[in-house]
Amino acid sequence: MSSFKVQIFGAGALGSLFGALIQHAGFEVHFVARGKQLEALKKSLRVEGLRKMELKVDVSDKAVDADVTFVTVKAYDTEEAAKSLAKVDPGVVCSLQNGIGNEEILAEHLDNVVGGVTTYGANLKDFGVVVFAGEGVTYIGEFKGKGIEKVERVLKDSGINVEVVEDIKEKIWEKAVVNSVINPITAIFRVKNGEILRNEFLWEIAKKTAKESEEVAREVGYEINAVEAVKIVAEKTAENISSMLQDVMKGRKTEIDFINGVIVKEGEKRGLDVCYNSFLWRAVKAIEKVRG
Ligand SMILES: NC(=O)C1=CN([C@@H]2O[C@H](COP(=O)(O)OP(=O)(O)OC[C@H]3O[C@@H](n4cnc5c(N)ncnc54)[C@H](OP(=O)(O)O)[C@@H]3O)[C@@H](O)[C@H]2O)C=CC1
Ligand SMILES: CC(C)(CO)C(=O)C(=O)O
């Protein structure tokens, strides 16, 4: 069992899955949660789906000292998470979040930050019960300070597929470009990911948005074949209900500001036409307002 102490800050779906896999591998893990999820985790953490396990976990609503901390809150909670972590010694802090800007926020408050993007899939069946829905790959890369080797060790020893990349921001942008298409379209039209490929009208909207996001990413410095990337992901996750549609169905805030919102801002700064991203951004914000 490793001597590293690991912290999961934001033990919802993804955090509970990663924390369970890491604890099951023999690491000491502290989970940080709140509300009904916190109360449920005080009793136990159950994993279903691709792996089945039931764990007693160490959980609280406060950050603690650790050697490695994974941040798995939604992007709109990153600032609060960073401030909480800055009050302790969280060790090296690795974001596994979607959206653009999380690592920048963490780096404003913390000394050692590693960027991360994961294609693992998890959803909460109930408080304290996480479904391991899909096994993918987790890309990590240096962002600020040191400690990436500890993050890699924890993930590798836990059997989590991990790849260290030179430029983690390229992976973050690649995923955000895909999310900028699939997430809002599925959320607005209330369809599973695969419908985007089957419905010729949605596919036209998807291609236009993808090309727009690709142009912004290129001007920022990243070359992405967006239409092809969207096609591949939509095919692979055809039966998925996207995270944004899940949030809308639950009447929750979405991460649209950290996906299409950032693409619009970066595009407008460069005088680019971002009308599709702008419409999708505002349409989802309107849904949030109506349902909020
Ligand atoms: N789920 C997945 O399959 C994947 C998710 N991601 C990304 O990972 C991130 C997390 O996603 P997901 O796990 O689905 O989201 P969840 O909402 O399930 O998990 C986030 C958890 O963090 C909690 N939280 C937020 N702030 C605090 C705080 N200050 N103190 C304690 N708890 C806090 C939330 O509580 P509350 O509910 O009260 O807000 C929630 O339980 C997102 O960026 C998502 O896009 C990326 C790939 C796959
Ligand atoms: C890749 C995709 C679209 C899978 O559903 C996703 O990342 C999400 O739902 O947030």
Side-chain angles (χ1 to χ4, degrees):
M1 182 168 99
S2 159
S3 57
F4 287 162
K5 177 165 182 181
V6 177
Q7 174 172 221
I8 303 288
F9 195 98
L14 188 72
S16 295
L17 172 63
F18 271 57
L21 295 173
I22 293 167
Q23 180 171 318
H24 192 258
F27 289 90
E28 180 189 354
V29 180
H30 179 78
F31 294 72
V32 181
R34 65 186 175 190
K36 291 180 178 172
Q37 177 69 350
L38 170 63
E39 294 315 308
L41 291 178
K42 283 178 180 173
K43 298 188 181 74
S44 73
L45 170 55
R46 199 160 83 233
V47 179
E48 297 182 356
L50 294 181
R51 292 277 300 272
K52 295 190 179 6
M53 56 183 90
E54 181 134 15
L55 306 164
K56 295 301 283 179
V57 296
D58 170 41
V59 61
S60 76
D61 61 357
K62 295 274 182 303
V64 299
D65 293 352
D67 298 296
V68 178
T69 293
F70 291 98
V71 174
T72 50
V73 301
K74 292 284 182 133
Y76 47 76
D77 284 327
T78 303
E79 180 80 26
E80 183 192 337
K83 288 175 180 170
S84 299
L85 290 168
K87 293 174 184 163
V88 299
D89 176 5
V92 54
V93 176
C94 177
S95 165
L96 293 171
Q97 302 160 282
N98 277 338
I100 301 165
N102 293 298
E103 287 79 5
E104 286 81 353
I105 293 169
L106 292 169
E108 282 170 21
H109 301 269
L110 303 164
D111 295 333
N112 299 299
V113 177
V114 169
V117 169
T118 189
T119 60
Y120 274 68
N123 53 73
L124 282 187
K125 183 179 175 184
D126 198 352
F127 294 112
V129 184
V130 63
V131 177
F132 185 178
E135 184 175 33
V137 59
T138 299
Y139 299 100
I140 60 174
E142 291 182 341
F143 191 86
K144 178 185 176 184
K146 55 188 189 304
I148 192 169
E149 68 287 345
K150 289 183 183 173
V151 177
E152 185 185 16
R153 177 55 44 220
V154 168
L155 294 174
K156 270 197 174 143
D157 287 359
S158 304
I160 295 168
N161 302 321
V162 57
E163 195 180 314
V164 178
V165 295
E166 268 303 301
D167 184 353
I168 191 58
K169 286 200 72 174
E170 182 169 28
K171 287 293 181 189
I172 290 168
W173 267 89
E174 272 175 18
K175 183 150 192 208
V177 164
V178 170
N179 287 139
S180 75
V181 177
I182 296 177
N183 292 37
I185 291 174
T186 54
I188 293 162
F189 294 97
R190 305 292 178 102
V191 295
K192 290 185 177 179
N193 296 356
E195 189 59 29
I196 286 176
L197 302 172
R198 289 188 291 268
N199 182 309
E200 71 268 32
F201 299 104
L202 293 182
W203 183 232
E204 279 308 305
I205 296 168
K207 284 189 291 184
K208 295 278 191 187
T209 307
K211 290 193 176 87
E212 200 178 88
S213 298
E214 177 180 305
E215 179 59 25
V216 174
R218 180 176 297 118
E219 292 305 311
V220 172
Y222 304 109
E223 195 56 51
I224 298 163
N225 184 339
V227 172
E228 186 57 24
V230 167
K231 190 168 181 295
I232 290 167
V233 171
E235 280 170 350
K236 276 173 69 174
T237 64
E239 285 311 301
N240 271 31
I241 296 176
S242 76
S243 62
M244 196 165 284
L245 176 51
Q246 290 181 47
D247 289 336
V248 164
M249 289 163 73
K250 292 173 193 163
R252 293 185 52 158
K253 267 181 77 172
T254 73
E255 297 181 295
I256 193 82
D257 291 335
F258 289 79
I259 302 171
N260 302 74
V262 170
I263 289 170
V264 167
K265 284 180 184 138
E266 291 300 325
E268 288 180 342
K269 255 183 353 190
R270 294 166 172 81
L272 298 173
D273 177 6
V274 283
C275 65
Y276 280 84
N277 272 279
S278 295
F279 171 75
L280 293 174
W281 180 25
R282 287 174 173 77
V284 173
K285 295 300 283 185
I287 292 171
E288 286 180 356
K289 203 168 176 64
V290 165
R291 296 181 57 83

